[in-house]
Amino acid sequence: MTSPLRRRRYETSAVWPRQTPLRLRLIAAIAVPFALLLALPLVAEDPPAKNPYLAPAELSGLRLVDFLERMHTRPASIRRRPGYTAAVDNAVERLLAEQPGDKLRARARAIQLEAWHFSASGGDTQADARLLELATALQTDPAPDVARLAKRLVLEGRALALTAEQVAGAEALLAEIRQALTAAAAAGEPLDERFLRLASAISHVVNLIPDDALAGKLLQEFGETFAASKEKIVARTGRNMKFAAGQPRPGSAPAADLKDQVLEIAGKTVDGLDFDWASYRGHVVLVDFWATWCGPCVAELPKVQALYEQYHAQGFDVVGISLDRDREDLEAFLAERRLAWVTLFEDGVERHPLAEKYGVRAIPTAILVDRDGKVISQQARGDELARLLGEIFGSGGPPPTAP
């Protein structure tokens, strides 16, 4: 019978032959288990989620173009989802690596630009930055259709970013936009929903021009261009621009001084229901006087939506008060944008009674009220709204109290 000592020697020598130096055997005996330990994950983590919209790896050539065409016609709800634009980028880059013909390459680039434009139009600031980067690079593309689209998108971005300090360049910028619209029409490009963001950008630029007569003239002219569209929503936008040409412009006259006053809101929602203002007590509320025909109002909505999503759980809410004249216009707009908050509207009136009550002479007028319904600010737009909400909710903020 083998002794325990001899058995241990045998087991050791079966792994490490006798001729292996003892020093190496000792090092290996320590190092191998340690290496195996390092190879194990310290924390069990789920693998990164795969983008469900990526084109299958086996696709190439015309099949990749077909994939891009299908992506291009996906419903809006899909095109807004995370991963969609990244999947389009991935498919385009794979196709370009194959050095396709000019027509396939141009079509892929156009779909790529329009995918990022759609995301940017929904208020995605990261998509906006990517769109500007891509459009800037493609302004000199050898394909005329791609270059024309890219130039127009760059002009749109410049118009949206224009500030009051840059108003000296407003007329020249609008002249370039006019040329871009003319070029699109000459190429047979339909004036469809892809141009709606440009219409808002034009309205934004016009409202920076200090000369009321010139601003009204420009808005009237651009309004006539968009009103001629065969697309109902675009034509309606053009008619609203023409209507806005005769209205007071944002900032032309301040509302009555309401600071520290308790705001009382009553009326009907666009759905015809009685509005319950008491249910908002205990919440910080933005009361937004706006209209679908007001370019700056529409341009502001994605920013408000982002702040709503950021602070709603902490007690921030929004009440929209529409100064539209046409219920159909408003309902179509709300169906498209799917705003998360209540909108008030009155049929058959020249101006909403609340606008008359609180001396609202120009829109957008954004009034922020505290948890007791008292006015904090009458200039609660853009960066100022973000700053105010940051002060209120910055450290988490107290939860909303029960009404």
Side-chain angles (χ1 to χ4, degrees):
M1 182 174 179
T2 306
S3 72
L5 178 60
R6 289 177 60 84
R7 186 164 60 249
R8 282 197 299 274
R9 283 179 178 173
Y10 173 78
E11 290 167 351
T12 302
S13 64
V15 179
W16 307 109
R18 289 182 182 277
Q19 61 268 30
T20 304
L22 177 61
R23 181 181 59 184
L24 293 182
R25 280 186 270 163
L26 290 172
I27 293 172
I30 297 171
V32 171
F34 185 66
L36 291 174
L37 178 62
L38 290 178
L40 296 174
L42 297 179
V43 179
E45 293 182 352
D46 293 331
K50 183 179 178 182
N51 186 340
Y53 302 108
L54 288 175
E58 65 271 14
L59 296 189
S60 64
L62 285 173
R63 295 177 68 192
L64 267 176
V65 178
D66 288 341
F67 168 83
L68 285 168
E69 292 288 2
R70 290 195 302 273
M71 290 287 279
H72 185 55
T73 56
R74 288 287 190 97
S77 59
I78 298 295
R79 291 157 66 196
R80 290 192 183 97
R81 291 181 183 174
Y84 169 84
T85 44
V88 170
D89 269 358
N90 176 268
V92 170
E93 295 307 319
R94 283 166 53 184
L95 181 68
L96 295 180
E98 299 176 13
Q99 299 184 339
D102 291 343
K103 288 185 177 179
L104 295 184
R105 188 196 64 80
R107 181 57 184 153
R109 281 302 198 188
I111 290 174
Q112 186 181 28
L113 281 169
E114 290 179 0
W116 283 105
H117 183 246
F118 181 85
S119 294
S121 297
D124 185 334
T125 54
Q126 292 183 338
D128 223 342
R130 169 62 176 152
L131 172 65
L132 185 59
E133 173 191 34
L134 188 62
T136 300
L138 294 175
Q139 287 184 102
T140 56
D141 193 87
D145 289 351
V146 174
R148 186 178 63 253
L149 173 59
K151 288 176 182 176
R152 190 173 74 238
L153 294 178
V154 169
L155 288 172
E156 180 184 285
R158 285 174 54 196
L160 289 169
L162 197 74
T163 65
E165 291 73 24
Q166 301 165 324
V167 71
E171 288 185 64
L173 178 56
L174 290 172
E176 289 186 70
I177 292 173
R178 169 62 72 191
Q179 291 174 1
L181 288 170
T182 301
E189 192 174 353
L191 196 64
D192 55 22
E193 294 182 14
R194 295 170 300 162
F195 288 79
L196 287 174
R197 192 172 188 238
L198 181 59
S200 290
I202 291 168
S203 297
H204 166 68
V205 174
V206 168
N207 280 308
L208 293 176
I209 296 174
D211 185 333
D212 285 345
L214 176 59
K217 176 177 176 290
L218 290 168
L219 203 56
Q220 178 75 23
E221 291 174 353
F222 279 107
E224 289 174 356
T225 298
F226 285 95
S229 170
K230 294 181 180 179
E231 292 277 344
K232 186 176 180 180
I233 189 171
V234 180
R236 183 170 63 241
T237 297
R239 293 194 300 272
N240 285 334
M241 290 171 77
K242 291 167 64 179
F243 172 75
Q247 302 299 309
R249 295 189 294 131
S252 60
D257 185 9
L258 304 174
K259 188 77 164 69
D260 295 327
Q261 292 188 32
V262 175
L263 214 62
E264 295 295 339
I265 305 297
K268 296 281 188 181
T269 69
V270 72
D271 300 318
L273 303 176
D274 290 328
F275 177 67
D276 182 11
W277 179 233
S279 66
Y280 288 81
R281 193 55 53 89
H283 294 244
V284 175
V285 185
L286 179 71
V287 179
D288 184 20
F289 289 86
W290 71 291
T292 60
W293 49 260
C294 168
C297 301
V298 174
E300 187 82 6
L301 288 176
K303 304 171 189 175
V304 176
Q305 181 74 46
L307 291 169
Y308 177 90
E309 292 172 358
Q310 181 178 355
Y311 293 113
H312 180 60
Q314 294 173 242
F316 174 58
D317 221 315
V318 181
V319 174
I321 300 176
S322 170
L323 272 60
D324 283 278
R325 299 173 301 159
D326 191 319
R327 171 179 286 276
E328 182 182 353
D329 287 354
L330 177 60
E331 288 178 342
F333 184 93
L334 294 176
E336 178 193 358
R337 293 299 183 102
R338 299 182 181 180
L339 301 183
W341 51 84
V342 168
T343 299
L344 275 61
F345 175 76
E346 292 290 335
D347 286 296
V349 296
E350 186 66 25
R351 280 167 56 81
H352 197 285
L354 289 171
E356 293 290 342
K357 178 177 180 178
Y358 290 114
V360 175
R361 301 183 183 93
I363 55 174
T365 290
I367 303 173
L368 190 67
V369 304
D370 64 17
R371 294 179 174 87
D372 296 320
K374 291 183 179 180
V375 174
I376 299 172
S377 170
Q378 293 171 249
Q379 306 293 330
R381 296 178 57 204
D383 293 342
E384 177 63 8
L385 176 60
R387 184 189 69 80
L388 289 168
L389 294 179
E391 288 182 355
I392 296 169
F393 299 113
S395 59
T401 57

